[in-house]
Amino acid sequence: MTEIWDGLTKAVQLLISFDPQLMEIAWRSLGISGTACLLASLICLPLGSLIHFHHFRGKRALINIIQTLFVMPTVLVGLFLLVLLSRAGPLGFFGILFTPTAMVIGQMILITPLLLGLTISALSGVSREIVDTAISLGASSSQTIWLVLKEARYAVLAAVIMGFARAISEVGCALMVGGNIRGATRVITTVISLEAGKGNLELAIALGIILLFLALVINIALNRLQQR
Amino acid sequence: MSLIEVVDLSHTYGEREVLKALNLGIGKGEVFALIGPTGAGKTTLLRIMDLLEVPCAGEIYFDGKGIPRSGTQRLEIRRRMSFIHQKPQVFDSSVYDNVACGLRWRGEKGNRIAQKVDHILEMVELAGYKNRNARTLSGGEAQRVALARSLVLEPEVLLLDEPTANLDPVSTQKIERLISYVARQRNTTMIVATHDMSQGQQLADRIGVLLDGKLVQTGDAKDIFRSPQNEEVARFVGMENILEGVVIAGNEGIAMINVGDDVIQAVSSYPVGKEVYACVRPEDITLHIADSCHQTAVRSSARNSFQTKVTGVTTIGPLSQVEMNCGFRLVALVTKISAEELDLQAGREVYATFKATGVHIMERKPHQ
């Protein structure tokens, strides 16, 4: 019990003093997950619109597959990337295994189905009549897509936030392709998992508090959006 | 030459045939009302004309040119038209942005947009609402935004689908006034779909009756309301008295038509033996009260006069609808004041009189 109490007080000290090591890890977490989320959004928003606005064979099946991949295990993505990027693997010549780049790629793959699926359902929330109105006012196809994205902006933004939340809270993939290298690829979740294992509770708890705080901010933001 | 020409247009939704081999030409600057009950295919026809949908069969010509089934040419032609939908759909942005969007999509310059939008908002009396989110407006206001959004584009053709269907009388009047104003000022070609016949009559140069996917009759208001082509049109345009009969004699253009036990005289050249419908508009029937001094019939130039009993009176606003039974059901429309002065009520004996020229005769097909 005293161990936990000790850990908690030291964690608070670390937080109050803006401990450089703690801050470095937190910022790296935000940077990697933010980048992954941004890049995934740049791919998924247009791609999701494309899927939503076009009728093709197997559309329903494709959406089903996308939705199934919402719950893709993070370690599976990690394993897949590890095999691809390891020196002997097909993409080994890039030499990016155990770098933040690999982690960004991993998180992008992880959240792409979620972002794609949620974007499609956000766009489905815009009524057919709105689309028709835009078309009859003379919007071209791309102008129509842009308008529908704007109409669904709150739901689309909620999708992006959900993607970010999944990216920053995952540990399996970051650990496998990042390697938890001090000063290079350590992020909040990997540090918590490994430091706690070593009995080094204060850093783990302090980072846990930061992660919880982030979750709170994200939750408030989502609630605000859903109320609009 | 017609600005819009529809040739042999057919359309189906799944199994349901919505439009059946429809032909229609709309002249430049013409205001055309498309009337018909709900589900007749009015909206589908407008959607196809606005190039929102590709018809299953048939062609549309705009300004003499055929319209391709896909491609950018459709967008160019669509940009010369504008469509006001039945339920106004405003975008989730300010009133200003709603009205400006069509101009922006056409690549208009910023200051020109501002000028045009301000002017049109003034016209629809929404200038003070510029920065309000359009979603917070009432139904009537939203419909005016929708109208402004279309009018600001100065379209050559304006398609209106039941523009006042869900609105209160005041909003309806405002919208109708705007529509006729624009039609006159800009010589805009308009096609208005409505189930409200008086609206059609009021706004349009020409009316088309769409029943069950078929354009049954086109003509000016007088043609449609006085001389409907068949029973369906007659019923739809409020011809209350549609009597089944047979021509039994004809003399100098006046036909004697046997209706039940009575004979009606009508101006018609149908031959003897022809099965017909005799239609009389309720407002064309005059009612007299039999005097106490045993007068048996009223002397009048009207060829038809029946002694009959009132079976019921319904008052709607300033008018009273009087139902009578003279072997067949006859309905007359008189002012409420007349009904009161003549003390019209169930059981009252009256003479119902109408002219031979007031009877419209249509051919009755054996099983329609």
Side-chain angles (χ1 to χ4, degrees), chain B residues 26 32 46 53 65 119 122 129-130 140 181 186 207-208 213 227 235 238 242 244 259 263 292 295:
Chain B
I26 311 273
F32 185 86
L46 289 186
E53 266 176 76
K65 285 191 278 285
H119 173 71
E122 204 77 52
Y129 290 65
K130 214 163 129 175
Y181 175 77
R186 298 209 188 123
I207 295 176
S227 321
R235 285 200 194 288
I242 304 175
E244 277 184 35
V259 178
V263 175
S292 46
Q295 194 185 351

Side-chain angles (χ1 to χ4, degrees), chain B residues 222-237:
Chain B
K222 200 170 141 269
D223 286 342
I224 306 277
F225 291 94
R226 291 279 156 196
S227 321
Q229 234 160 46
N230 63 26
E231 191 198 349
E232 279 175 298
V233 179
R235 285 200 194 288
F236 182 71
V237 299

Side-chain angles (χ1 to χ4, degrees), chain A residues 127-130 132-140 143 147 151 153-154, chain B residues 47 50 52 75 78-79 83 85 89-92 102 105-106 135 149 153:
Chain A
S127 72
R128 184 68 227 172
E129 286 84 14
I130 284 285
D132 280 346
T133 302
I135 295 173
S136 59
L137 284 168
S140 67
Q143 286 165 339
L147 177 99
E151 285 290 298
R153 58 190 177 271
Y154 300 121
Chain B
R47 286 176 63 85
D50 194 41
L52 283 175
L75 176 67
R78 194 187 294 119
R79 283 186 171 174
F83 189 177
H85 298 254
Q89 294 290 339
V90 293
F91 304 132
D92 189 2
W105 287 331
R106 283 162 176 76
R135 288 271 160 87
R149 195 169 54 182
L153 303 171

Side-chain angles (χ1 to χ4, degrees), chain B residues 2 60 70 72 87 89 119 238-239 246 274 279 332 365:
Chain B
S2 297
I60 301 175
S70 59
T72 49
K87 250 181 80 201
Q89 294 290 339
H119 173 71
M239 197 68 105
V246 181
K274 190 80 181 171
C279 307
K365 294 192 186 103

